[in-house]
Amino acid sequence: MLRSVGGVRLSPEAWRYLAVLASISIATMYVEMVVMPSLLTIERQYGVTESEVSWVLSAETLAGLAFAPILGKLADTYGRKKVLLITLMVYFVAVFLTSMAPTFSILVMLRAIQGIGLSINPIAYTLLRDRLPPREWPIAQGIIASTLAIGAAVALPIGAYLAQYYSWQFAYETALPVLAVLILVAYLVLPESEARVSESIDYIGLALLAVSFVILGYSFTEAPTWGWLSENFWLGIALGLAVLFLFINHELSTQNPIIDIRDFSNPNIAVPLLSSFVAGFGMFLSFQALVFIFELPKPIGYSMTILKTGLTLAPISLIMLFAGPLYGVLMSTIGYRRVLVVTSGIATIGGLLMAATVYVHELMVTILVMIFSMIGIAGMTVTRITLLIASTSRERMATMTGTNTAMRLMGNTLGPVIAGSLETTYRTPILAYYLNGMPIFYEVPGREAFVLSFMIAAATAFMVMVMSTKVTK
């Protein structure tokens, strides 16, 4: 019996693969998001600054940036299923070890290893495209993309509850039995892929790209200490950009580049790839800012507990669940360009409104604006990956989606680092208590840091909107 979504009938085969891949997506997103409400707790536990704790997020995305192109090419060469299973097993071990990290340095290192999990969804997308007919896969991909929201919706309240009443480490451990079962189910149910393209891996390009973002990220992390106008900061930025320039030159001359610069001549490929970078940057920058706003003391924040922060964020993430299939249908009816232009415009307005809410300081207003922003972000996320795969040959699907993931993770890496640096730079005193009639203050991130964060996020969404006008029909 066939079931339909948005008027498109999906076969039993499609639903079977979707059940497995969607469950994997939910589980991995649970693991990625479960640590988000605990950023302030981790900061205090390990005695680090806001700019340093941002590496709990950025280390994983930076490592994922390195893993994604490698695993994409390996999936094209050796098969999607085999590479997916190996990735899941390594990911399982990394999650287990992360839950036991004794120091902040080891925590960051293990989160980096855990970054291999960020390559799971791109492989899942290409496995679906490899097996499903053209009419079904846009809807199927919309469903997979929307399940990211389910993982977040589960992780934020449950993870926050476990972190508040037990520990954030225990919240990690709850994912291990689920991951073990999913590895077995994936082995039994998922089909092997047919496409095989034997290509070498560009390790030199990979090293240049990773080094450039390490240098850039470290420079922004140290900016509050060095000074934003200091010689050290600008030398670091110049060095990082110089290495990035070397990477681009290398990619133009190598036979099997990680990111084929020539692909950017096709607007239907260039726009999704570039928008993945700028949207990923703005989204992760905003996420870190929101967690701090909710949990910082009044009058700067809302003095929420970890649990209340998770409960506040969880319903918002469900928008992705309903928006994913809806945008899949809209793309089939009104086209990729219109959906991408409109949704990025919504995200732009949402970012500007979020900046205004920092001074309004009304919780319900903040939540409503976040919902509005998420509607735009959901559309941008679903549309750009579907457009990219629709514009890519079957043989290069895994490689291209790996490239897309790399572009998104570049933005994900820099977003939290810059948000953390702004929060460390702009400080404001808060009254702690009186000692013998003398007021004792302590410093927390000031409103200026959050206004700048949301303004930057709005600017990135606007860049996506401008780029989207270049998409061809």
Side-chain angles (χ1 to χ4, degrees), residues 18 23 29 54 62 66 73 120 126 150 165 169 195 207 244 256 261 307 327 352 358 400 441 462:
L18 277 171
S23 297
M29 183 51 61
S54 66
L62 180 61
K73 288 184 180 291
I120 291 174
T126 56
I150 300 178
Y165 293 106
Q169 292 95 331
L244 187 60
N256 295 306
I261 307 301
L307 177 58
Y327 285 125
L352 295 175
V358 173
M400 189 58 68
F441 294 89
F462 180 75

Side-chain angles (χ1 to χ4, degrees), residues 63-301:
L65 167 63
F67 286 128
I70 293 177
L71 293 175
K73 288 184 180 291
L74 290 176
D76 280 342
T77 304
Y78 299 107
R80 330 293 196 213
K81 179 179 178 178
K82 182 182 295 184
V83 174
L84 178 63
L85 289 172
I86 294 173
T87 301
L88 281 169
M89 288 186 282
V90 174
Y91 184 71
F92 177 90
V93 175
V95 171
F96 173 72
L97 294 175
T98 302
S99 67
M100 300 187 296
T103 67
F104 185 72
S105 298
I106 294 177
L107 171 64
V108 170
M109 180 188 69
L110 291 172
R111 284 280 293 180
I113 297 173
Q114 193 179 307
I116 195 172
L118 298 176
S119 300
I120 291 174
N121 261 30
I123 297 174
Y125 288 139
T126 56
L127 194 151
L128 286 173
R129 174 69 190 270
D130 202 31
R131 302 293 300 189
L132 301 184
R135 182 174 171 80
E136 291 185 2
W137 67 259
I139 301 299
Q141 288 192 159
I143 292 173
I144 291 292
S146 67
T147 59
L148 296 176
I150 300 178
V154 171
L156 290 170
I158 295 179
Y161 175 84
L162 295 173
Q164 180 164 323
Y165 293 106
Y166 297 94
S167 68
W168 62 266
Q169 292 95 331
F170 180 70
Y172 254 78
E173 294 166 355
T174 58
L176 294 173
V178 176
L179 288 172
V181 171
L182 287 175
I183 291 172
L184 177 61
V185 173
Y187 173 76
L188 296 173
V189 174
L190 294 181
E192 189 51 83
S193 56
E194 299 173 358
R196 295 290 185 273
V197 180
S198 180
E199 294 183 346
S200 60
I201 296 172
D202 179 20
Y203 291 105
I204 294 176
L206 185 61
L208 288 172
L209 183 60
V211 168
S212 69
F213 274 80
V214 167
I215 294 172
L216 290 171
Y218 180 76
S219 299
F220 279 110
T221 299
E222 295 299 322
T225 303
W226 291 343
W228 289 87
L229 299 178
S230 68
E231 181 179 322
N232 284 343
F233 172 71
W234 287 106
L235 281 175
I237 297 299
L239 179 59
L241 292 177
V243 176
L244 187 60
F245 180 74
L246 290 175
F247 164 77
I248 293 173
N249 280 340
H250 173 77
E251 295 300 280
L252 287 170
S253 61
T254 192
Q255 186 175 359
N256 295 306
I258 296 171
I259 298 175
D260 193 340
I261 307 301
R262 289 174 287 273
D263 285 331
F264 287 82
S265 61
N266 180 350
N268 284 14
I269 292 178
V271 170
L273 292 179
L274 292 172
S275 65
S276 288
F277 170 77
V278 295
F281 169 84
M283 186 166 63
F284 263 55
L285 182 148
S286 297
F287 282 169
Q288 172 150 331
L290 283 170
V291 171
F292 276 77
I293 286 176
F294 285 144
E295 296 184 13
L296 284 174
K298 297 178 180 179
I300 302 300

Side-chain angles (χ1 to χ4, degrees), residues 377-442:
I377 292 171
M380 292 164 58
T381 301
V382 174
T383 306
R384 66 174 183 259
I385 183 62
T386 308
L387 171 60
L388 179 66
I389 293 183
S391 306
T392 303
S393 66
R394 185 179 294 270
E395 290 77 17
R396 298 192 68 229
M397 282 189 300
T399 298
M400 189 58 68
T401 52
T403 300
N404 175 73
T405 300
M407 295 293 291
R408 174 175 57 81
L409 294 179
M410 290 183 210
N412 291 166
T413 298
L414 290 181
V417 170
I418 292 178
S421 294
L422 291 172
E423 290 157 10
T424 304
T425 300
Y426 294 93
R427 313 292 289 180
T428 190
I430 296 289
L431 178 64
Y433 56 89
Y434 287 91
L435 180 62
N436 297 326
M438 180 181 295
I440 304 298
F441 294 89
Y442 67 99

